[in-house]
Amino acid sequence: MKIYEATLTFETMAIPYGERRREGYVLRRRDIILGSTIRGALITALMSKLGHEIIESELKEPGILSTPFFPLIDGKVKTYPAEAFTFEHKIPKKINGKEIREIVKMLDINALKKAARDNNIEIIAEKCIPDDPLFTPAVGKPIAKINNQYIAAEVKATRTIAVGISKRSGRSEEGMLFTYEAIAEGQSFWGRIIDLKDVISEALPKSNVIEVRIGRGASRGFGIAKLALKELSKGEITKRKEEIRKKISDGYVVLKAVAPLAVIGKNMFLETFPEQFTFDNQWTDYILSFDDVREFLDEKLRECKIELCSASGKKLTFGYLMEIGGWSLKSNLPKPVIRSSGPGSVAVYRITAGLDAAPDALLLAEVFGIDELSIAGFNYIEVIG
């Protein structure tokens, strides 16, 4: 098994995913590239070296997983989705000759946990909402802290016009003029790729860079990108376990969605933040079937259970919803649209069983995702308190 931190840099304009409107294809969001998009592009690129067998293998027993990718500011500064209770001022200020909107983080982990313990949601309103009405929610926006100031990433977009070509005549077809909104070339993103079966290294050149094609219009030169992979050591991963242990020592845990969150619940219904997480399931069995994983995750993690907290009769979940579609490599048809909590959404849980096992269970959810939908780029979380 190998875990990579990856950087994706577009060499041509790209349309990762979009929606068809009258005026053409318009990006839904350009500040996030879904894990399913990255995974599909990587598997397609590996196919040239490893053959079609890799697709069959990934359909039967998935080994390649990917988190969403978020923008890099100036090609080097990582951004993360702003969590709930992050706000942006409506009126920009001039700083160093640039107009920048002030961003403030009001999330108070202690206030969230206290609200759960005291059954009083007013504690959150007092601590986590700014007094200035000109601040608007910025949850989900990719931000980074630079010089003690939070900055939102600006992903440059460009528009291009394309003409439909008639297959019969080989000429431009009347009424087939399309406008595309695309991410501009040169934009970089970063994320994490997990290779459970260590197949990527078989096709990885010495430069550790693979050329991939992202999104629509690949045959017309759109979406050509370089994916640079840097392997993370197991020590970096196990260190995170101790950090989680300290955050949850009081028996409560605040989770942040890093990817769209839509967990498979009872009767196969999808839930955004479910009432309960249990880790004694098929996904845990599958992940722990790999010897390399059991080197840093204890199988006792199955004992852990966490339950969603409420206060004053309201569930302690905060954030926003987004709808995710996609394209199936297997059927070559659109995937059903899934409604999910967007990256940056947060929720408060209480650990009801297996407190000692919780750091291992939560680390599994951070690295490998919560359930089978992690294969499609959903359900990666971060323990933030």
Side-chain angles (χ1 to χ4, degrees):
M1 182 195 72
K2 285 187 170 64
I3 300 173
Y4 298 98
E5 189 171 284
T7 301
L8 181 80
T9 304
F10 286 108
E11 297 193 324
T12 62
M13 63 182 71
I15 310 168
Y17 49 91
E19 56 185 323
R20 177 78 178 274
R21 295 183 184 169
R22 187 172 182 178
E23 67 271 23
Y25 282 100
V26 179
L27 293 175
R28 289 196 190 103
R29 286 183 66 172
R30 60 176 181 265
D31 55 9
I32 177 177
I33 300 178
L34 300 175
S36 56
T37 301
I38 298 293
R39 180 175 182 263
L42 179 55
I43 292 171
T44 302
L46 293 175
M47 191 171 61
S48 64
K49 293 281 184 72
L50 305 177
H52 282 79
E53 291 80 8
I54 186 163
I55 291 183
E56 293 300 322
S57 174
E58 285 296 311
L59 288 171
K60 291 177 182 176
E61 293 186 345
I64 296 174
L65 310 174
S66 176
T67 67
F69 275 46
F70 297 99
L72 290 169
I73 296 177
D74 297 329
K76 56 185 177 181
V77 181
K78 296 176 186 174
T79 63
Y80 300 83
E83 60 262 24
F85 304 111
T86 301
F87 298 89
E88 184 177 46
H89 207 278
K90 290 181 179 180
I91 303 173
K93 295 180 180 179
K94 268 204 170 181
I95 301 174
N96 298 325
K98 290 183 178 181
E99 285 198 343
I100 295 174
R101 297 181 190 274
E102 182 186 1
I103 294 174
V104 296
K105 279 190 173 187
M106 298 290 292
L107 180 68
D108 187 322
I109 298 295
N110 292 327
L112 263 62
K113 290 185 175 183
K114 184 173 174 56
R117 284 194 297 268
D118 297 355
N119 193 26
N120 182 5
I121 203 166
E122 293 298 325
I123 295 171
I124 297 172
E126 292 169 7
K127 295 284 187 179
C128 301
I129 306 295
D131 295 327
D132 189 342
L134 292 178
F135 276 107
T136 59
V139 56
K141 279 194 171 185
I143 63 172
K145 197 171 187 179
I146 302 174
N147 298 326
N148 295 318
Q149 189 172 25
Y150 289 106
I151 304 291
E154 292 185 15
V155 178
K156 293 179 181 178
T158 184
R159 282 181 178 265
T160 184
I161 296 174
V163 178
I165 303 297
S166 170
K167 291 182 179 180
R168 290 183 179 180
S169 66
R171 297 178 180 180
S172 59
E173 194 167 343
E174 189 176 347
M176 294 291 284
L177 189 67
F178 297 100
T179 300
Y180 290 91
E181 183 182 279
I183 295 173
E185 61 187 81
Q187 179 66 53
S188 296
F189 292 76
W190 81 280
R192 186 174 285 182
I193 292 171
I194 299 94
D195 184 7
L196 290 165
K197 301 177 185 177
D198 195 14
V199 297
I200 295 175
S201 59
E202 296 177 29
L204 194 62
K206 290 182 180 179
S207 63
N208 289 341
V209 177
I210 298 175
E211 183 176 282
V212 296
R213 308 234 168 184
I214 301 286
R216 299 179 183 274
S219 63
R220 295 185 294 279
F222 289 134
I224 299 174
K226 298 292 187 185
L227 185 68
L229 302 177
K230 177 188 173 186
E231 186 180 351
L232 298 178
S233 69
K234 288 191 176 72
E236 292 177 81
I237 305 300
T238 53
K239 179 183 175 184
R240 177 62 181 156
K241 191 193 299 188
E242 294 310 310
E243 294 172 355
I244 293 173
R245 193 183 304 279
K246 291 176 183 177
K247 290 178 185 291
I248 64 172
S249 59
D250 58 357
Y252 287 85
V253 57
V254 181
L255 301 182
K256 169 183 171 180
V258 175
L261 195 76
V263 179
I264 301 171
K266 292 179 181 178
N267 301 319
M268 298 302 289
F269 285 113
L270 295 179
E271 305 175 57
T272 48
F273 279 105
E275 295 283 347
Q276 184 183 73
F277 279 130
T278 59
F279 296 89
D280 189 10
N281 54 38
Q282 289 183 339
W283 184 243
T284 296
D285 293 341
Y286 180 67
I287 295 299
L288 291 178
S289 70
F290 293 91
D291 294 340
D292 288 351
V293 174
R294 294 198 303 275
E295 287 181 13
F296 64 90
L297 287 182
D298 195 315
E299 295 197 44
K300 69 180 181 181
L301 66 83
R302 292 187 176 90
E303 301 170 6
C304 180
K305 291 181 182 179
I306 60 175
E307 292 184 358
L308 184 62
C309 294
S310 297
S312 306
K314 295 183 179 180
K315 295 176 182 178
L316 295 183
T317 63
F318 310 93
Y320 63 105
L321 296 175
M322 65 186 297
E323 292 184 343
I324 305 293
W327 199 266
S328 171
L329 284 173
K330 184 177 181 180
S331 65
N332 198 31
L333 292 170
K335 294 179 181 178
V337 173
I338 295 175
R339 200 176 192 204
S340 62
S341 291
S345 301
V346 300
V348 185
Y349 282 83
R350 185 169 65 90
I351 301 168
T352 56
L355 180 60
D356 292 339
D360 289 84
L362 294 168
L363 182 60
L364 182 146
E366 281 195 350
V367 177
F368 304 105
I370 293 166
D371 60 20
E372 291 85 347
L373 280 178
S374 305
I375 300 164
F378 290 83
N379 300 342
Y380 294 89
I381 56 96
E382 179 187 355
V383 177
I384 59 173

